[in-house]
């Protein structure tokens, strides 16, 4: 998979594993399902050096609950 379709997640819940994730549209906010809710991440201008090469960094900014 090309590195332009992957990103690194920064901050958010410690229990959230898999900090390198697939992204559909680079530069748009991410909404990750986790523990009956969603963790929201915004793109930053930073890049991180990873085992998959340099990837864009997305920073956690809020959590919302799933509706029942």
């Amino acid at each position: 998979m090309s590195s332009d379709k992957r990103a690194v997640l920064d901050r958010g819940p410690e229990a959230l594993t898999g900090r390198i994730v697939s992204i559909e549209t680079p530069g748009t906010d991410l909404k990750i399902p986790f523990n009956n809710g969603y963790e929201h991440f915004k793109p930053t201008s930073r890049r991180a050096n990873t085992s998959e090469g340099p990837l864009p960094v997305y920073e956690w900014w809020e959590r919302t609950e799933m509706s029942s």
Side-chain angles (χ1 to χ4, degrees):
M1 178 175 289
S2 112
S3 63
D4 62 337
K5 295 292 187 171
R6 310 280 282 161
V8 175
L9 303 180
D10 185 29
R11 299 183 36 209
E14 286 185 28
L16 181 63
T17 59
R19 293 296 175 146
I20 295 179
V21 298
S22 296
I23 55 176
E24 288 186 30
T25 307
T28 60
D29 292 357
L30 299 177
K31 182 174 158 180
I32 309 289
F34 181 70
N35 283 350
N36 296 319
Y38 296 99
E39 303 302 331
H40 297 264
F41 293 83
K42 290 186 175 191
T44 70
S45 59
R46 296 181 290 142
R47 293 185 73 77
N49 291 320
T50 72
S51 60
E52 298 185 27
L55 296 175
V57 175
Y58 282 63
E59 187 171 72
W60 181 87
W61 66 283
E62 80 170 341
R63 173 179 175 76
T64 55
E65 297 295 322
M66 287 184 187
S67 54
S68 311

